[in-house]
Every structure is written in C-alpha cells, then in structure tokens.
Amino acid sequence: MFTFDNSYVRELEGLYVFGCAEPKVAPRISRLNYSLAEELGLAPDELDSPAWAQYLSGNAVAPGSQPIAQAYAGHQFGNFVPQLGDGRALLLGEVFDGSGHRRDIQLKGSGPTAFSRNGDGKAALGPMLREYLMGEAMHRLGIATSRALAVVETGEPVYRETALPGAVLTRVAASHIRIGTFEYVAARSDFPLLKRLADYTIARHYPELQGQPYIEFLRAFSMRLAGLVAQWMGAGFIHGVMNTDNMALSGETMDYGPCAFMEHYDPLAVFSSIDRRGRYAYGNQPAIAQWNLARFAEALLPLLDEDGERAVELATQEVDAFAGHYRGAWLSVMRRKLGLKREEEEDASLADGFLEAMLAGEADHTLAWRSLADAAEGGESLFGLFVGNREKLDAWLPRWQARLAREERLRDGIAADLRRTNPFVIPRNYLVEEALEAASNGNMEPFDRLLDALAEPYAENDATRSYALPAPREHTACYQTFCGT
Ligand code: AMP
Ligand code: MG
C-alpha cells in the first residue's frame, strides 16, 4: 500500500479543491506497470487485486489519500485562460519512491471536478493506453517524463464522436506544478500565495536554491527546460500541445495528448489535428519553450524585485539567455548523437550539415542517426535511407569521418557509443495506431509486444527489428493525432 504524505494539500491552500471520483460500475485493471510499481516500493502482486482496481478507478479512497483537483491557468495556443484546472483528474496524494523522491499519484479520467467546465471528466481507453506507451518510450529513451502506473477500464462508455470504452489512467509524476499554476496565482495578484508556491516548488524541485534570490529559480528552470527540449529534438519527439498548462516545473515531459515521433526528418512536421497553424511544429519547439518561459517569468515578476522596472529587466535577461542555454544543450545532444566526445568549434555546423542532408535526402530521422554507428565502422546502411537527393550526404560524410579521426578513439568504441545514444526503436505512429486499434477490439497482444520493444530502444534483436522500419510514406503524409479527450 502507498504511504501518502500530502504536502500540496498542507502547504498550498487556495490552489486546489477537494474532489471525489465518479463511481464506476465494473472497474477492471487493464494494464499494470510492474517496473514502476517496484520503483514505488509496491509488491507487484499486491497491485493485481480487486482492492487496487477499486483504488485505481477512484471507487475507493486509499488510506491517507486526500483527493484534490489542482487549480491552474494557462496559455492555450497563445491565448490566456485564467482558469483551467484539473477537469478530469484527481491528485490522490504524494508518495516517496525507493530513492526517496516525492512523486505525485494522480488519476486521470476519474470524473468531473469543480474545473470541468463543459467536459465530462472522463477519458477513453485508447488515449490512456497511448499516454502509457509514450511515457514508457520516453522514459526508456532517458527523457524525463511522467509515467503511467496503471490503466483501468471502467466498464462504461464515454461519448466522443462515437461511444468508446472508458478508462482511468494512474499517472506518476515528480509533481503536477505547471507554468500555468504560477500564471493562475499571478492573474489573481496574490503575492503571499505566489511566494508560497515558489518556495514550495523550489523546495521540491530545486532544493539547492532555497534561500537564494528567485531569479536563480527562473534561471534553473530555464536550463532544465532547455535540456528537456534539446532531448526532444534529438529524439524527433513532437509534444503537440506545448500550452503553458502542459509544461511542468519539474522539467518532466507531461500531458501526452496528440504527441508523436517524427519519421522522415522535417522541421515543419506537425501531427496534431488541433494544431492547424503549426504553432507546435517540431522545429518550433525551442522557440515555443522560450515563449512559455517568458510567461513563467512574467508570473514571477513580483518576486524578482520590488522595483517593477528592475524586475522586468532581470526577467528579460533570463528569457533572452534561454537561447544560449538551449544552444548549449542541443549541441551536447548532437555531439553524443554524432559520436563526439571532444569539443570543436565546427561541431554545430557538422550537426546542422547532417540534418540538412537528411532533409534533402528525405531520410528517416531515427534510422539515419542510428546508421551512423554502422557508417563509423565503414558500413553503408545509411545510403539506402536517403531516398531523395544524396548530394549533401555525400559531401557531409567525409567531413564527419575526418572529424571522427580527430577523436583519436577506436572506431568500434565510437560505434558502440552511437548504438547507446541513437535508438533503433521509437514508437512509430503507425505501430502505435495498430496497437491501439487492436486494443480497442480487445486484443492487447500488439500493445504488449510494442511496449516490450520500446523497453529496449537501443537493442537490435528479434524483438525490436520488426518495429524499426518506417511507415509507408503514404501513411506518414496524412498522419494526424487527435487530442486525447
Ligand atoms: P489538455 O488539453 O488535456 O491539457 O486539457 C486542457 C484542459 O481541459 C484541462 O483543464 C483539462 O482538465 C480539461 N479537460 C480536458 N478534457 C476534459 C474532459 N473530458 N472533461 C473535463 N475537462 C477536460
Ligand atoms: Mg493539460
């Protein structure tokens, strides 16, 4: 059983309302994440019980849990909404994992709350399984993320365009404090609450900064955000809805809605059906992160300096500095992806050169990077991937080979590093769709096999090989993901 310790409830009155889940007639555990359960100190067979089906559906309140819906605001596609909040989620409380880290346990899809507006507070099975899968994939790629502990089928339909099976996801996150949480307080000009929220967030996620000026907090978050987005870019991940209410102060990726991994490299790639103007396109993500950071900085202004003008000056400097933090984080991701340990002035242009070659060659992003391992050893598996113009690749390769020579390391060592850095398997959209389609017809086998393959994204073996290939181009050209509501 969890041992809850609910610091959010204790310390942040004014930022939540108590709530209770809507009763479900016949909850049934669909999927359990045993490795995460173990991290949380739960015995795997403990979870797999009727009592837990009750807890994880919201039908029963576990001892020590104080379910709340958190209040937050947010900029959605650029427009400020002063009150959003958990419209279909309940924070059950916090627990300490095996490493002593405080983690939130949240139910998503548990029923309406005070923040539901016109929504039904529910979630459908497909999108919840999708969130489970994407979170695990990101985690195994070494990217900070919230994760799913369980998916419970409610036994009741939810009504979208059609009737769909309902589900509740149990989400585990470092916290659910968002940029939008700060915006909520700032919009109400509640200075004491702003200070409490900032102090709470610092103690929880940036404890080394306690007692420091708040500008250090802004800077530390900026650097964490830069690092996170650089990793997304390296992996070809497109979040899809980088609204400020979906950006966690912990630096974890959260709220997997219409997210997707890119197949062939394209900075303009957008898959989300609700992102009609491409605001959250792959190549826009760093700039949007900075835009979001600016919204966070604005919310923090009263804490930065008593003198309003001076506060704006300080905030502006930090927001401007994001570009440099991002560039640095991106460059270190790129160096690893290129097999470089030493640092040279030209490395950024080398990375750009490869991306340009990929663009011209219409190459699959994941496999092009992956094939560098082979190319470092003199292999030619790269070439078949560049189905478009290959001139840029042909010009680039000798440049990279010359650069590798200056590493003064053995080629098989470099190749081994590259195989630990550039994944072989990512959750390709067509595979995710196939798995979810089968799941919606009651067949979980494709989902489980895909999940297994994604658990070892760097391995090339019989389990992973059938998941490594790109989708037929006709599929990617018109592929769209729909918001998980
Ligand atoms: P999202 O786009 O999932 O980040 O959600 C944006 C806002 O809409 C949040 O306040 C959610 O709680 C709310 N929301 C999304 N789906 C539902 C739903 N089915 N019922 C009630 N609120 C929802
Ligand atoms: Mg959200």
Side-chain angles (χ1 to χ4, degrees), residues 72 76 84-85 87-88 117 119-122 160 246 255 485:
Y72 51 85
Q76 299 193 305
L84 289 165
R88 56 163 171 169
R117 291 164 292 161
D120 60 2
K122 295 179 185 173
R160 299 295 180 252
N246 292 337
D255 258 8
T485 47

Side-chain angles (χ1 to χ4, degrees), residues 72 108 171 178 245-246 254-255:
Y72 51 85
K108 182 168 175 180
R171 180 153 76 173
R178 309 143 192 266
D245 53 300
N246 292 337
M254 76 173 303
D255 258 8

Side-chain angles (χ1 to χ4, degrees), residues 352-373:
D352 283 329
F354 189 50
L355 293 172
E356 281 162 27
M358 256 190 238
L359 185 62
E362 297 166 48
D364 181 79
H365 183 254
T366 303
L367 292 184
W369 281 112
R370 178 72 182 189
S371 300
L372 288 185

Side-chain angles (χ1 to χ4, degrees), residues 240-289:
V241 213
M242 286 176 74
N243 293 335
T244 55
D245 53 300
N246 292 337
M247 308 298 294
L249 262 291
S250 63
E252 281 184 347
T253 311
M254 76 173 303
D255 258 8
Y256 292 94
C259 63
F261 281 74
M262 190 162 61
E263 297 238 330
H264 65 277
Y265 174 69
D266 175 10
L268 300 178
V270 160
F271 296 111
S272 164
S273 62
I274 54 170
D275 191 5
R276 291 201 186 81
R277 295 188 186 173
R279 177 179 171 88
Y280 300 138
Y282 170 79
N284 269 358
Q285 295 185 122
I288 289 291

